[in-house]
Amino acid sequence: MNDLETFSALLAPEGQSLLAELRDHDPADELAAATRLRRDHPAPLVSAALGQARLRQRAVAKFGADARLMYFTPNGVEQSTRATVAAHRAARLAALGVRTLADLCCGIGGDAIALARAGIRVLAVDRDPLACAAVRANAEALGLAELIEVRCADVTEVDTAGYDAVFVDPARRSRARGGRIFDPEAYAPPLSWAVAAARKAPVAALKIAPGVPHDALPEDAETEWISDGGDVKEAVVWFGTAVDGAPGPTPGGRRATLLPAGDSLLGAGLPDPEPGPVGDWLYEPDGAVIRAHLVADVARQIGGRLIDPTIAYLTADRLVETPYATAYAITDVLPFHVKRLKALLREREVGIAVIKKRGSAVEPEELRKKLKLGGGRKSCTIFLTRVAGAPSMLLGHPAADAP
C-alpha cells in the first residue's frame, strides 16, 4: 500500500474510527496502542492512523483546535503557515479587494483555509498528490470545500489569468541536503520565477524566508516581516495595488508586523541612529523590526540611540511605550567579568536570572552554570553585549516590573 492509498484508507469508515479512537492518544503508550489495534485492523492502517495522530498533536501549536480535524503530511506540518499568520495575510488580501486567488505550492492547505475563511475563492495547486489529497480532506473537514478547488499540477504550468491574486509559497527545504535553503534561487520554484509570476497578477504575495538578503528583494514590491508572539515566522513580498481606495503595498517599502496584536510599522528609510551612552532604559526591538532594518524607525519613536554601532539594542533616558520593542529598566552597566557579576547577584539575593546575549561570545547557559545562583526569590535580567565596542554586561528588569 503506497502513501496515497494509505491516506485514502484513513478517510474511509475504518480509518475514521481509528482516528476517533486515537483523538486523545498518549504518544508514550504508542507501542501498547499499536499492539492492541492491530488485533482488529490492518497493520498499515494502524501505523498510518498512529502517524496521523502524532502529526495532529504536533500541529496544534500552529492550527489550534482545527488540528484535531485536519490531515497532515510530515513536510506539511513542518512547512505550513501558522494559522495566525495565514489569517493576517488573508485579511490583508481581502482588504486589497481580492475575491479569487491562485495558491501555488499550497502544501496541506494552511493558507487556502485562511483565505477561504476570509471569503476568497481559492485554486490550490501542488505537484505532490499526497499534499493535494490532504488539502481536499482539510477543506471538507472544515466545511470549506465549496471555496477551495484543488489541482495536482506543476505550478509553473498553471495559467493564473482571470484570478484577482496569486500567492506563492516556494519550498525552502531540501530533502537531498537535509535542511533549510537560504539561497532564494534554490527555492522550488526559484524566487525569480515567483516574482515573474507575481508581476503578471493584479495582486500577489510571495512567502519567503525571513533571513532573505535585502539585496535579493524586488524594489517594485513591499516586503513585510511577520513575528508572532515575538518569534519571527516569515517574510512576504507584496505586489500590486488596492481597489476601492484601500491602501496598497508600498513599492520598495519595508514593513514589520507584530502578531497577535497586529501592530504594523512601515519604514521611512531612515539612516542608522547614532550610538551613545547607555541611559536608564534599554529597548530590545522585536525580531521582525530587526529583520526589516527598521531599528532606526523605533529609535525615532522613543528618542533613543544605539548602545553600539553594530548591536540592535537601543537606549533612552526616559520610558516611551512602543509595541515594537521591549523596554528594560537598567540598574548597572559594567565591563564583562564573571566573578564580579557572581558577587553582585549574591549580594542582591538574586536567585532567578534571565540571560540575553547580542554581540557576545559568551553562551548564556555556560554563564548560568558559573554563576551558581542561590535560592533567592529576586530576579534580574542580564544582557551580554557590547557597549561602544567593549564587552559589557547590563543588569536590569522589564519595564513592566519597574516600581
Side-chain angles (χ1 to χ4, degrees):
M1 185 178 288
N2 63 36
D3 288 345
L4 195 56
E5 290 174 332
T6 303
F7 184 84
S8 297
L10 285 177
L11 303 179
E14 186 176 9
Q16 292 292 290
S17 176
L18 275 171
L19 288 175
E21 188 169 346
L22 292 170
R23 181 181 176 88
D24 298 313
H25 167 64
D26 183 352
D29 297 332
E30 185 162 308
L31 181 59
T35 302
R36 173 175 53 82
L37 293 172
R38 283 171 182 163
R39 296 179 190 138
D40 302 310
H41 304 280
L45 184 59
V46 171
S47 296
L50 285 166
Q52 194 61 224
R54 288 195 301 271
L55 292 174
R56 284 178 167 182
Q57 289 176 351
R58 283 174 54 194
V60 167
K62 283 190 173 182
F63 291 93
D66 283 345
R68 292 181 174 272
L69 301 174
M70 292 174 66
Y71 297 85
F72 300 95
T73 66
N75 283 339
V77 171
E78 190 70 28
Q79 299 182 26
S80 58
T81 304
R82 181 179 291 263
T84 49
V85 178
H88 161 73
R89 179 165 41 245
R92 188 170 182 190
L93 284 161
L96 291 173
V98 173
R99 296 297 175 261
T100 61
L101 178 143
D103 180 0
L104 307 181
C105 308
C106 65
I108 56 91
D111 278 283
I113 289 165
L115 290 161
R117 284 177 168 165
I120 297 172
R121 189 169 294 277
V122 182
L123 170 65
V125 184
D126 204 285
R127 66 182 179 182
D128 181 357
L130 186 58
C132 290
V135 181
R136 290 190 184 97
N138 288 333
E140 188 68 37
L142 299 175
L144 300 168
E146 291 186 0
L147 287 170
I148 300 175
E149 174 191 349
V150 182
R151 185 181 303 175
C152 193
D154 184 330
V155 298
T156 63
E157 298 175 358
V158 174
D159 182 6
T160 60
Y163 289 89
D164 296 337
V166 167
F167 171 62
V168 189
D169 182 4
R172 293 175 300 283
R173 288 180 180 271
S174 169
R175 293 183 182 179
R177 287 180 280 183
R180 296 180 185 275
I181 296 172
F182 297 99
D183 177 6
E185 285 308 296
Y187 292 174
L191 181 60
S192 56
W193 178 88
V195 168
R199 286 175 174 150
K200 297 175 184 176
V203 175
L206 314 180
K207 176 180 171 181
I208 58 175
V212 63
H214 278 231
D215 58 11
L217 299 171
E219 283 303 318
D220 57 336
E222 174 186 301
T223 305
E224 176 185 29
W225 281 261
I226 303 171
S227 68
D228 190 10
D231 296 326
V232 183
K233 295 302 179 184
E234 63 183 58
V236 187
V237 181
W238 292 90
F239 292 85
T241 56
V243 297
D244 299 330
T250 302
R254 304 290 183 260
R255 180 184 298 274
T257 298
L258 282 53
L259 302 178
D263 296 291
S264 197
L265 176 65
L266 181 63
L270 302 177
D272 290 340
E274 292 295 321
V278 178
D280 293 335
W281 300 93
L282 186 77
Y283 291 81
E284 181 182 26
D286 184 271
V289 169
I290 295 173
R291 293 282 194 180
H293 296 180
L294 301 184
V295 172
D297 297 80
V298 177
R300 172 181 281 185
Q301 284 188 358
I302 65 172
R305 54 195 177 270
L306 292 170
I307 65 170
D308 183 278
T310 64
I311 303 295
Y313 280 139
L314 294 168
T315 187
D317 301 316
R318 61 190 182 93
L319 178 62
V320 178
E321 290 189 9
T322 174
Y324 303 109
T326 302
Y328 296 84
I330 297 302
T331 57
D332 301 88
V333 182
L334 305 166
F336 179 76
H337 195 282
V338 175
K339 288 185 178 179
R340 184 175 182 184
L341 177 60
K342 185 176 179 180
L344 189 60
L345 296 179
R346 185 186 300 115
E347 176 186 327
R348 295 179 181 176
E349 300 179 340
V350 172
I352 303 170
V354 176
I355 304 174
K356 295 174 171 283
K357 63 169 281 185
R358 185 166 292 165
S360 171
V362 180
E363 292 299 328
E365 288 311 309
E366 289 299 316
L367 176 61
R368 189 182 302 280
K369 292 176 183 177
K370 293 178 181 179
L371 293 178
K372 298 179 181 178
L373 295 173
R377 294 185 177 181
K378 294 182 179 179
S379 64
C380 178
T381 302
I382 303 166
F383 296 89
L384 307 176
T385 187
R386 291 195 304 271
V387 175
S392 304
M393 50 188 189
L394 280 58
L395 278 62
H397 49 265
D401 299 335

